[in-house]
């Protein structure tokens, strides 16, 4: 059995070898003519190129100087020779000016700065040239807004309207305040030109002003150039100051308990701020003279406490009656610029009628003139910010309320409209520190309205309804309060 298995294994091995000899080799297809295998990519290193950079001797060369009462010419010659520089001295430079200088192993730039801090000249290094000159030209920028503006305020007037008394003459009661911006102060470029003319007085000095781009090119000696730099630096600092004004113009409809006005003492206790009262504004809307102790004479409350929250004061004011916010401006104003806020309705009315009749034709033509008025609020603010952060404000609030347009007839067919207005106005100038709060109050108004009342249903019965209803005058007092906070932001 074992022999038979061995013979079968040998036979299977022989047959396998013959089948392998009969297999053909596999041939790869030939590449078409004209197509060649791509050679392997060769990595190329990036080319590095060394650029020649010119190194200034100002920061690389070290020098030592021991000079005592030596002419400037000789000092410059020693520096130029030691640093390998050529020397040019322009006209206007005094080469015989005496110089005393002791320096030990300092950089060339430091040596030149020390030398030229003792003489009124400029220096410049161009390539291998050391140039010394008496005049230099520099360009400065002025941060001015290219806008021309004017500001004027006029409040108050003749409270009696120049009435004619029976005894003759004119009876007047004039209380007025007028302010106007300094036109010369607002002409910045004219003032700058005049100031530079007073500084640059040496021969060869000049300046050119470009108002549109806000640039000033100055050619001057070193002492005068330093004065111009200091002057323009202070000017730019003053022009770049800004103040953030957050104000609330509130009308308080007073409760009956406070019909004479807001109790400022109670308000002080609620807000816990140090304060002063100043009654500097005349009560323009009252005929009779008010006593000093009257609440109406307290027309301005100034809080000196810093860091107060406006919401705390608003909440305290709500204790005196219903609040109505007329305006809530929040505006940034640049130093010396004017901010004007107007909120309300502009109303036109016929103020003048003129007739012209042609004799030949008998045709009558009419010429009508109209005027406009504002029923609402106008608030003007002009800030001036000092270098220590103190803010001077000129504030003018004006509140007008149109009652009606009364028609007045003249002749047989002509009618014009005359407005009846409630007017409350005030103008004052105050100083605040950064973050302080200012309250302006005392502008009161009294209104009387006819109120109908009666028994429901019965008052509507014809004829007998009059016995079940009545009329009464309802009186309300309102006070205008302006809460203002100023913060310097730049």
């Amino acid at each position: 059995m074992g022999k038979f298995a061995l013979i079968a294994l040998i036979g299977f091995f022989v047959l396998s070898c013959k089948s392998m000899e009969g297999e053909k080799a596999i041939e790869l297809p030939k590449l078409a003519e004209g197509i060649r295998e791509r050679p392997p990519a060769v990595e190329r290193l990036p080319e590095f190129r060394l650029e020649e950079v010119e190194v200034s001797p100002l920061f690389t060369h070290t020098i030592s100087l021991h000079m005592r009462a030596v002419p400037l010419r000789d000092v410059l010659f020693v520096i130029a020779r030691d640093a390998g520089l050529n020397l040019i001295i322009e006209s206007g430079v005094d080469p015989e000016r005496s110089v005393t200088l002791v320096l030990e192993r300092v950089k060339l730039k430091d040596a030149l700065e020390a030398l030229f801090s003792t003489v009124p000249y400029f220096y410049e290094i161009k390539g291998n040239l050391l140039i010394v000159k008496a005049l230099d030209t520099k360009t400065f920028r002025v941060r001015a807004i290219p806008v021309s503006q004017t500001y004027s305020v006029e409040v108050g007037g003749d409270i009696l309207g120049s009435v004619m008394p029976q005894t003759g003459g004119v009876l007047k009661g004039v209380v007025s305040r007028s302010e106007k911006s300094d036109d010369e102060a607002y002409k910045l470029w004219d003032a700058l030109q005049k100031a530079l003319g007073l500084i640059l007085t040496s021969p060869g000095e000049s300046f050119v002003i470009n108002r549109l781009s806000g640039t000033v090119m100055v050619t001057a000696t070193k002492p005068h150039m330093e004065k111009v730099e200091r002057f323009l630096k202070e000017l730019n600092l003053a022009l770049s100051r800004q103040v953030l004004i957050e104000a609330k113009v509130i009308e308080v409809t007073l409760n009956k308990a406070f019909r004479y006005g807001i109790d400022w003492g109670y308000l002080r206790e609620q807000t816990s701020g140090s304060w002063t009262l100043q009654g500097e504004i005349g009560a323009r809307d009252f005929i009779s003279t008010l006593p000093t102790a009257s609440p109406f004479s307290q027309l301005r409350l100034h809080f000196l406490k810093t860091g107060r929250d406006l919401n705390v004061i608003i909440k305290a004011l709500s204790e005196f009656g219903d609040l109505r916010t007329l305006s809530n401006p929040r505006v940034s104003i640049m130093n010396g610029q004017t901010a004007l806020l107007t909120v309300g309705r502009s109303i036109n009315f016929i103020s003048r009628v003129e007739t012209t009749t042609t004799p030949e034709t008998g045709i009558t033509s009419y010429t009508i003139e109209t005027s406009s008025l504002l029923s609402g609020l106008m608030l003007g603010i002009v800030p001036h910010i000092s270098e220590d952060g103190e803010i001077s404000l000129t504030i003018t609030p004006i509140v007008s309320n149109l009652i009606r347009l009364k028609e007045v007839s003249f002749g047989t067919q002509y009618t014009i409209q005359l407005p009846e207005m409630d007017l409350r106005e005030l103008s004052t100038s105050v100083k605040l520190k950064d973050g302080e709060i200012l309250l302006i109050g005392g502008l009161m108004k009294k209104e009387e309205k006819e109120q109908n009342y009666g028994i429901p249903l019965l008052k509507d019965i014809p004829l007998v309804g009059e016995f079940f209803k009545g009329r009464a005058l309802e009186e309300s007092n309102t006070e205008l309060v302006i809460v203002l906070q100023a913060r310097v932001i730049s």
Side-chain angles (χ1 to χ4, degrees), residues 144-443:
I145 302 175
V147 175
S148 177
Q149 69 169 356
T150 59
Y151 180 77
S152 62
V153 174
E154 186 172 352
V155 296
D158 187 0
I159 195 171
L160 301 180
S162 298
V163 298
M164 298 290 294
Q166 296 180 354
T167 57
V170 179
L171 184 61
K172 295 183 178 180
V174 179
V175 179
S176 63
R177 171 188 171 98
S178 62
E179 289 185 356
K180 186 179 179 182
S181 60
D182 186 354
D183 294 338
E184 295 299 324
Y186 277 97
K187 295 178 181 179
L188 174 66
W189 296 109
D190 293 342
L192 178 60
Q193 183 174 358
K194 184 177 180 180
L196 292 179
L198 294 176
I199 296 175
L200 305 176
T201 56
S202 299
E205 294 182 328
S206 63
F207 63 92
V208 177
I209 297 177
N210 189 320
R211 301 188 180 190
L212 182 61
S213 62
T215 56
V216 180
M217 186 171 65
V218 179
T219 300
T221 60
K222 188 175 181 180
H224 289 172
M225 186 69 76
E226 292 175 351
K227 286 184 179 180
V228 171
E229 288 180 356
R230 290 195 300 268
F231 173 73
L232 294 180
K233 181 180 179 181
E234 292 296 326
L235 178 62
N236 283 327
L237 286 177
L239 293 176
S240 62
R241 297 187 189 113
Q242 288 189 85
V243 62
L244 176 64
I245 302 293
E246 183 176 0
K248 292 182 183 294
V249 183
I250 302 170
E251 190 175 60
V252 184
T253 302
L254 299 171
N255 298 331
K256 292 184 178 180
F258 300 101
R259 63 182 181 274
Y260 294 115
I262 294 174
D263 186 351
W264 299 112
Y266 176 78
L267 185 64
R268 176 191 59 180
E269 295 175 359
Q270 293 295 315
T271 55
S272 300
S274 59
W275 61 303
T276 57
L277 281 174
Q278 298 181 17
E280 66 178 25
I281 307 302
R284 174 180 176 271
D285 294 329
F286 300 95
I287 299 296
S288 61
T289 303
L290 296 173
T292 307
S294 172
F296 294 102
S297 65
Q298 300 173 351
L299 294 184
R300 186 159 67 89
L301 176 66
H302 182 189
F303 271 76
L304 301 179
K305 193 71 173 181
T306 60
R308 281 287 159 208
D309 187 359
L310 291 179
N311 295 326
V312 175
I313 298 177
I314 301 303
K315 185 177 179 181
L317 286 173
S318 64
E319 299 291 333
F320 301 99
D322 298 330
L323 306 184
R324 184 167 70 97
T325 302
L326 302 181
S327 181
N328 185 23
R330 181 184 173 93
V331 61
S332 297
I333 314 174
M334 295 191 68
N335 190 18
Q337 301 299 314
T338 303
L340 182 63
L341 172 69
T342 303
V343 179
R345 178 181 298 178
S346 179
I347 301 172
N348 296 324
F349 61 94
I350 299 175
S351 59
R352 182 179 178 183
V353 178
E354 183 178 349
T355 62
T356 304
T357 303
T358 306
E360 293 80 5
T361 60
I363 299 176
T364 302
S365 59
Y366 299 90
T367 303
I368 298 176
E369 293 184 6
T370 61
S371 300
S372 62
L373 55 87
L374 175 69
S375 180
L377 168 70
M378 183 179 292
L379 178 64
I381 302 176
V382 182
H384 293 276
I385 312 164
S386 64
E387 58 183 3
D388 59 354
E390 189 177 61
I391 307 168
S392 299
L393 293 176
T394 299
I395 308 170
T396 305
I398 301 175
V399 179
S400 60
N401 183 27
L402 176 65
I403 299 176
R404 62 170 179 165
L405 288 174
K406 183 179 179 180
E407 293 187 353
V408 178
S409 300
F410 61 96
T412 59
Q413 54 182 347
Y414 307 120
T415 302
I416 62 173
Q417 296 173 322
L418 298 179
E420 291 185 9
M421 302 284 296
D422 276 339
L423 182 64
R424 287 175 288 177
E425 58 186 13
L426 182 147
S427 181
T428 185
S429 298
V430 297
K431 285 188 177 181
L432 299 173
K433 294 182 180 179
D434 185 16
E436 284 186 342
I437 294 177
L438 172 71
L439 271 76
I440 302 175
L443 297 176

